């Protein structure tokens, strides 16, 4: 395509990735636009903002691709876009892997994503954590093979000394921060993913631990995986382990290529790296200088796209803040330079010089050979000027240092081969191969989950029982409370008298029992909210189904709920001279506890933190208590509030317990006139049915509420608990 541009004519040719590109991740024109509200002239207006803007490039197989940039550059957003963690329809562009176009679901099947936070169960050992990951991700292979794979991975990750150490948390001593990070990596690479994404893997680690983590990631890349990570201010030792570099600023591409080519890239821009300076850090500083100037980072992005040199900055513009990196600013609201004249490390900025002809608008000084891992140009530009014809020159592959699109010149040297996994001497027995059994199929034929629904449920149940055995406090605290309260109720209401006061005492006992069982599950709110983050991490790349997680959690708690209700029922039954079938009394308590547990789990899945969770549970408990029929019978509740009586999960166990006690013609006392008060008359006064089968309806309704809450819980997990940008 030819374009006229003043006295110049530009020919733009799409050359794509380098000719020697043998595999990896490719991305074209990635654009992610969100709507933000901005106050203009006292009015709030919606404005479309590109968090990512037409980013094109690639990440070679067998190499570590590091995504860097100033704060607010869009590094994590870019990583989420590549990993399929941005909602479908919000991200524009194309992502392909080894030549196959990938949808978000396909990327999840072939990749692993290590989050910045280490979300692991604290009371599992390193070996147990990796074994459960193997159970989830390796599918129906033999246990012996899984153990061998885990043992090999432990050795490769340098975790042999902490093999049987708990992961630990704030209250339990466990592995170190660097070891915990390596365990997190091991959990997600146990199945040998072809793609590995890491979000700030060195965050919060000391330099030695960070170096160790990146070394292990380097080994994983050399085994044949495509590794992409975000990293902030890596040490010089870590920079030596990075093969491919992508630098972003305000969602735009600033550089792409080998870290060794950063100096050449700066030279082509007209900036010389001062002696003793780190070229990558210097590039970040230059980006910030332009960001604070009137030109903005768009000038550097334009240089990457077209080869047009960015305008020279004034001395004031080239001053860099001495303390911290400036916060990201919205476009059109640039902060003026502060003129400190100091570097971040406190040293005075050396005078900036250029090594090219600054009077030339375009760069024609490509003299140095470079590593062609940067040779990704999507658009190659040839410029013809009236004074200098280039028609006689043959088309060559330019050797650019970024996906930059530089001017074609006879001074361009042939590019060198891009390094791939095959270019490195790696012993296949030293590192895990990414070709796990489930990855031998084509991406579109690979199963979404490694295990069947029943296998997942069994694995989750085994893990749940192990965690409960290691942390029995939650279960024992409930059992202790119900046991103590049972003894208190038995001694307080022991041997109720056969009069109206005795009837009132029994009614108070029944409603208190229902409330006690409802409140006993409230402590599950913080427990599940902590576990929810682990669920999101594990299911983000299809370790197991939300349905199997829901069912396994339900089955796991069934025996514990039965024990709690059984102990309480056994304590109070004889002491209060309760009548009716004991098994019905026990059943109502059991299903009531089950319904309550399901309700609390549902609320915990909706709220963002345990403080709001407690507030929501207490608020609903108060409403259910108010409308259950104890203060006002269902007949006396105003018509506009009767629906609250129907949805109150306290209504049905309360009425069921009363039916079991008073569906009889036996006399329980006398009114002031001396007339006998039978069980039937008590129920009639409370507007509760005296028919025998009605009490079984109450049990079915309670079970129905338990099932409904579990379904709601599943739906929230399945559709609304995704670590995904909208």
């Amino acid at each position: 395509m030819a374009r006229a541009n003043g006295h110049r004519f530009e020919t733009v040719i799409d050359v794509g990735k380098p000719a020697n590109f043998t595999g990896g991740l490719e991305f074209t024109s990635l654009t992610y636009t969100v709507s933000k509200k901005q106050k203009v002239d006292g009015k709030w207006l919606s404005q479309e903002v590109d968090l990512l803007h037409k980013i094109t490039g690639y990440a070679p197989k067998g190499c570590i691709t590091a995504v860097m940039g100033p704060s607010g550059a869009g590094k994590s957003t870019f990583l989420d876009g590549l990993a399929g963690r941005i909602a479908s329809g919000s991200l524009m562009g194309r992502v392909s892997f080894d030549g196959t176009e990938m949808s978000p679901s396909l990327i999840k099947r072939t990749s692993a994503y290590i989050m910045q936070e280490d979300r692991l169960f604290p009371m599992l050992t390193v070996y147990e954590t990796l074994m459960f990951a193997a159970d989830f991700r390796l599918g129906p292979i033999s246990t012996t093979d899984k153990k061998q794979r885990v043992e090999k991975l432990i050795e490769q990750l340098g975790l042999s000394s902490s093999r049987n150490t708990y992961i630990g948390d704030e209250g339990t001593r466990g592995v170190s921060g660097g070891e915990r990070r390596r365990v997190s990596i091991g959990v997600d690479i146990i199945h040998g993913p072809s793609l590995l994404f890491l979000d700030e893997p060195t965050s919060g680690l000391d330099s030695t631990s960070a170096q160790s983590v990146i070394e292990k990631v380097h080994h994983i890349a050399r085994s044949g995986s495509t590794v992409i990570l975000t990293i902030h201010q890596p040490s010089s030792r870590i920079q030596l382990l990075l093969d491919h570099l992508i630098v972003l600023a305000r969602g735009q591409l600033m550089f792409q290529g080998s870290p060794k080519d950063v100096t050449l890239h700066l030279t082509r821009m007209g900036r010389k790296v001062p002696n003793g300076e780190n070229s990558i850090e210097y590039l970040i500083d230059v980006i910030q200088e332009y960001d604070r100037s009137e030109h903005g980072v768009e000038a550097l992005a334009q240089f990457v796209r077209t080869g047009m040199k960015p305008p020279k900055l004034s001395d004031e513009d080239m001053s860099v803040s001495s303390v911290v990196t400036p916060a990201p600013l919205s476009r059109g609201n640039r902060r003026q330079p502060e003129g400190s004249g100091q570097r971040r490390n406190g040293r005075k900025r050396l005078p900036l010089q250029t090594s090219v002809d600054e009077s030339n608008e375009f760069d024609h000084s490509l003299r140095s050979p470079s590593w062609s891992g940067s040779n990704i140009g999507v658009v190659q530009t040839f410029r013809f000027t009236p004074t200098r014809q280039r028609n006689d020159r043959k088309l060559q592959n330019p050797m650019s240092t970024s996906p930059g699109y530089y001017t074609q010149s006879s001074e361009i040297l042939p590019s060198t081969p891009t390094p791939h996994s095959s270019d490195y001497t790696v012993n296949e027995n030293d590192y895990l191969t990414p070709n796990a059994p489930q990855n031998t199929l084509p991406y579109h034929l690979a199963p979404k989950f490694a295990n069947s629904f029943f296998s997942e449920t069994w694995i989750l149940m085994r893990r749940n029982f192990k965690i409960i055995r290691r942390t029995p406090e939650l279960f024992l605290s409930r059992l202790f409370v119900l046991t103590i309260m049972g003894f208190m109720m038995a001694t307080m209401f022991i041997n109720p008298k056969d009069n109206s006061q005795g009837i009132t005492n029994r009614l108070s006992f029944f409603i208190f029992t229902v409330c006690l069982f409802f409140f006993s599950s409230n402590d599950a709110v913080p427990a599940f909210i902590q576990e929810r983050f682990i669920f999101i991490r594990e299911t983000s790349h299809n370790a197991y189904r939300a349905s199997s997680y829901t069912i396994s959690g339900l089955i796991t708690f069934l025996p514990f709920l039965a024990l709690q209700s059984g102990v309480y029922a056994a304590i109070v039954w004889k002491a209060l001279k309760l009548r009716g079938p004991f098994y019905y009394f026990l059943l109502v308590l059991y299903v009531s506890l089950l319904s309550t547990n399901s309700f609390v789990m549902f609320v915990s899945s909706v709220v963002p933190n345990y403080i709001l969770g407690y507030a929501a549970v207490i608020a609903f408990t108060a409403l259910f208590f108010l409308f259950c029929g104890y203060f006002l019978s269902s007949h006396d509740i105003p018509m506009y509030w009767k629906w609250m009586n129907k949805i109150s999960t306290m209504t049905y166990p309360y009425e069921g317990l009363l039916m079991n006690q008073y569906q009889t013609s036996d006399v329980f006392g006398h009114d002031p006139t001396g007339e006998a008060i039978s069980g039937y008359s008590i129920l009639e006064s409370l507007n509760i049915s005296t028919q025998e089968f009605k009490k079984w309806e109450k049990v079915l309704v309670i079970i129905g509420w338990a099932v409904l809450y579990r379904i709601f819980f599943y739906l929230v997990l399945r559709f609304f608990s995704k670590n995904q940008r909208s």
Side-chain angles (χ1 to χ4, degrees):
M1 178 180 70
R3 291 182 303 197
N5 183 15
H7 295 290
R8 289 177 171 82
F9 295 89
E10 300 179 3
T11 300
V12 182
I13 302 176
D14 183 6
V15 298
K17 58 185 178 296
N20 55 3
F21 182 79
T22 60
L25 189 72
E26 304 169 61
F27 42 92
T28 305
S29 297
L30 288 188
T31 301
Y32 177 42
T33 305
V34 298
S35 180
K36 290 187 176 182
K37 288 188 176 181
Q38 192 172 14
K39 197 170 186 179
V40 179
D41 297 332
K43 297 181 180 180
W44 288 98
L45 301 176
S46 295
Q47 183 179 12
E48 297 292 327
V49 178
D50 284 352
L51 299 186
L52 299 177
H53 182 70
K54 296 183 179 179
I55 300 178
T56 296
Y58 75 109
K61 181 181 293 186
C63 301
I64 294 182
T65 297
V67 182
M68 298 179 62
S71 298
K75 301 185 292 293
S76 295
T77 305
F78 174 66
L79 196 69
D80 288 345
L82 295 180
R85 292 158 63 90
I86 294 179
S88 178
S90 299
L91 181 70
M92 307 301 292
R94 179 179 180 272
V95 178
S96 61
F97 183 62
D98 287 346
T100 302
E101 188 166 354
M102 306 291 282
S103 65
S105 61
L106 284 178
I107 290 178
K108 290 180 180 180
R109 297 185 196 183
T110 57
S111 67
Y113 190 106
I114 289 86
M115 300 179 183
Q116 188 170 346
E117 299 84 10
D118 299 317
R119 303 294 188 182
L120 303 169
F121 286 102
M123 295 310 295
L124 293 180
T125 65
V126 170
Y127 175 78
E128 291 168 344
T129 300
L130 294 176
M131 269 304 298
F132 279 118
D135 287 336
F136 287 129
R137 305 307 297 266
L138 297 184
I141 67 174
S142 67
T143 303
T144 302
D145 290 340
K146 292 178 182 177
K147 289 181 178 179
Q148 290 177 351
R149 194 173 183 86
V150 168
E151 294 290 357
K152 187 175 182 180
L153 184 59
I154 287 176
E155 181 180 354
Q156 292 166 356
L157 293 176
L159 296 169
S160 299
S161 61
S162 56
R163 178 183 184 278
N164 297 315
T165 304
Y166 289 137
I167 298 299
D169 57 7
E170 295 81 0
T172 304
R173 186 177 181 83
V175 297
S176 66
E179 291 172 330
R180 184 181 294 108
R181 186 61 49 85
R182 278 177 271 159
V183 174
S184 295
I185 294 174
V187 165
D188 284 315
I189 68 169
I190 189 69
H191 61 302
S194 303
L195 270 171
L196 180 61
F197 302 97
L198 302 98
D199 187 14
E200 297 283 357
T202 61
S203 176
L205 302 180
D206 59 82
S207 60
T208 302
S209 298
Q211 171 78 7
S212 176
V213 168
I214 299 300
E215 283 179 350
K216 303 306 177 185
V217 175
H218 184 77
H219 296 162
I220 294 168
R222 289 297 182 264
S223 69
S225 294
T226 301
V227 177
I228 306 174
L229 57 85
T230 60
I231 192 166
H232 186 67
Q233 292 184 334
S235 65
S236 58
R237 293 185 300 169
I238 290 178
Q239 289 182 22
L240 295 176
L241 298 173
L242 306 179
D243 304 304
H244 193 63
L245 187 63
I246 295 175
V247 180
L248 304 177
R250 297 196 180 274
Q252 300 189 69
L253 191 60
M254 301 288 105
F255 171 82
Q256 182 174 219
S258 168
K260 299 177 183 178
D261 292 342
V262 173
T263 300
L264 181 58
H265 178 77
L266 287 165
T267 300
R268 291 168 175 169
M269 287 172 49
R271 307 295 289 266
K272 182 178 180 181
V273 181
N275 293 333
E277 291 287 338
N278 182 285
S279 59
I280 297 177
E281 291 183 0
Y282 184 75
L283 174 61
I284 302 297
D285 288 344
V286 171
I287 291 171
Q288 294 182 31
E289 291 172 1
Y290 274 90
D291 190 28
R292 286 191 296 271
S293 73
E294 61 180 4
H295 306 290
V297 297
E298 290 80 4
L300 301 182
Q302 179 76 3
F303 172 64
V304 171
R305 289 192 297 268
T306 66
M308 180 182 293
K309 286 185 180 180
K312 183 180 178 181
L313 298 179
S314 64
D315 292 339
E316 183 181 4
D317 287 334
M318 290 189 291
S319 299
V320 178
S321 176
S322 61
V323 183
V324 295
T325 301
L329 302 175
S330 60
R331 296 178 183 176
N333 188 24
R334 311 279 184 201
R335 179 165 43 179
Q336 295 300 318
E338 298 173 4
S340 64
Q342 298 291 326
R343 297 268 339 222
R344 288 193 305 267
N345 55 15
R347 292 185 286 112
K348 193 76 174 180
R349 165 74 74 199
L350 296 176
L352 300 180
Q353 302 176 4
T354 61
S355 59
V356 296
D357 182 8
E358 295 175 353
S359 63
N360 187 358
E361 183 182 5
F362 298 99
D363 179 13
H364 299 283
S365 60
L366 309 179
R367 299 181 182 274
S368 303
S370 67
W371 181 63
S372 71
S374 62
N375 190 11
I376 178 62
V378 173
V379 179
Q380 183 174 357
T381 307
F382 298 88
R383 295 181 176 82
F384 302 88
T385 67
T387 60
R388 207 171 169 185
Q389 298 294 330
R390 300 183 183 269
N391 293 336
D392 57 333
R393 296 183 180 170
K394 293 183 179 180
L395 173 65
Q396 303 181 52
N397 231 356
M399 183 185 50
S400 58
T401 55
S402 90
Y405 317 114
Y406 296 101
T407 307
Q408 180 71 6
S409 169
S410 61
E411 298 167 347
I412 299 176
L413 299 178
S415 58
T416 56
T418 304
H420 299 290
S421 58
S422 59
D423 298 330
Y424 299 90
T425 303
V426 182
N427 186 349
E428 292 182 357
N429 296 323
D430 290 341
Y431 307 109
L432 287 176
T433 171
N435 296 321
Q438 64 269 37
N439 287 339
T440 58
L441 292 173
Y443 303 129
H444 64 283
L445 297 179
K448 187 174 182 179
F449 299 98
N451 299 288
S452 66
F453 168 80
F454 295 103
S455 297
E456 290 175 357
T457 303
W458 172 242
I459 297 170
L460 287 166
M461 287 174 57
R462 287 195 293 110
R463 187 174 71 175
N464 290 342
F465 280 118
K466 187 180 288 289
I467 294 173
I468 290 175
R469 188 172 72 249
R470 298 270 174 83
T471 55
E473 297 85 4
L474 184 61
F475 164 70
L476 291 179
S477 62
R478 298 180 190 176
L479 184 62
F480 178 77
V481 169
L482 289 175
T483 301
I484 296 300
M485 294 305 300
F487 277 110
M488 294 181 66
M489 298 296 287
T491 54
M492 179 176 293
F493 295 104
I494 190 170
N495 297 324
K497 298 179 179 180
D498 291 334
N499 54 26
S500 58
Q501 185 60 46
I503 297 172
T504 302
N505 291 345
R506 281 196 179 92
L507 294 177
S508 300
F509 162 76
F510 288 133
I511 190 60
F512 184 84
T513 296
V514 172
C515 289
L516 174 63
F517 273 57
F518 204 99
F519 276 108
S520 66
S521 296
N522 287 7
D523 52 3
V525 174
F528 172 73
I529 288 178
Q530 292 177 354
E531 187 174 324
R532 181 174 62 187
F533 295 107
I534 301 177
F535 167 84
I536 293 174
R537 178 183 64 80
E538 292 179 331
T539 57
S540 63
H541 283 74
N542 304 329
Y544 49 81
R545 300 167 177 82
S547 56
S548 59
Y549 178 83
T550 303
I551 297 299
S552 65
L554 174 62
I555 297 175
T556 300
F557 279 99
L558 288 180
F560 298 103
L561 300 180
L563 180 60
Q564 294 169 14
S565 55
V567 168
Y568 182 86
I571 294 173
V572 302
W573 179 261
K574 290 293 184 181
L576 275 70
K577 296 181 179 180
L578 300 178
R579 65 165 302 278
F582 174 76
Y583 66 83
Y584 181 86
F585 179 76
L586 175 61
L587 179 62
V588 170
L589 295 183
Y590 180 53
V591 296
S592 177
L593 203 56
L594 177 61
S595 176
T596 300
N597 180 265
S598 299
F599 172 76
V600 173
M601 294 293 284
F602 165 61
V603 172
S604 302
S605 68
V606 175
V607 296
N609 54 65
Y610 71 90
I611 297 177
L612 291 179
Y614 273 132
V617 170
I618 291 173
F620 278 104
T621 301
L623 290 175
F624 291 165
F625 182 35
L626 178 62
F627 292 99
C628 70
Y630 175 74
F631 297 101
L632 287 175
S633 68
S634 58
H635 180 72
D636 296 328
I637 294 177
M639 183 64 65
Y640 46 84
W641 286 121
K642 284 188 180 294
W643 61 274
M644 282 295 298
N645 176 258
K646 299 300 181 183
I647 69 170
S648 171
T649 52
M650 288 188 183
T651 300
Y652 306 99
Y654 175 61
E655 293 183 354
L657 293 177
L658 292 180
M659 288 179 179
N660 192 53
Q661 178 69 23
Y662 294 120
Q663 277 185 346
T664 178
S665 58
D666 294 348
V667 176
F668 289 89
H670 297 80
D671 62 15
T673 63
E675 184 177 351
I677 303 176
S678 65
Y680 289 130
S681 61
I682 295 174
L683 294 178
E684 290 173 353
S685 65
L686 297 174
N687 198 35
I688 297 176
S689 175
T690 59
Q691 297 177 352
E692 179 71 18
F693 74 91
K694 286 291 186 179
K695 72 178 185 180
W696 293 104
E697 285 186 358
K698 303 300 180 183
V699 174
L700 294 177
V701 173
I702 300 172
I703 295 176
W705 277 113
V707 172
L708 185 62
Y709 285 136
R710 287 286 170 174
I711 292 175
F712 288 159
F713 175 69
Y714 162 74
L715 293 176
V716 172
L717 295 184
R718 175 66 178 82
F719 298 105
F720 302 101
S721 293
K722 297 181 179 180
N723 197 351
Q724 189 178 61
R725 299 173 187 262
S726 59

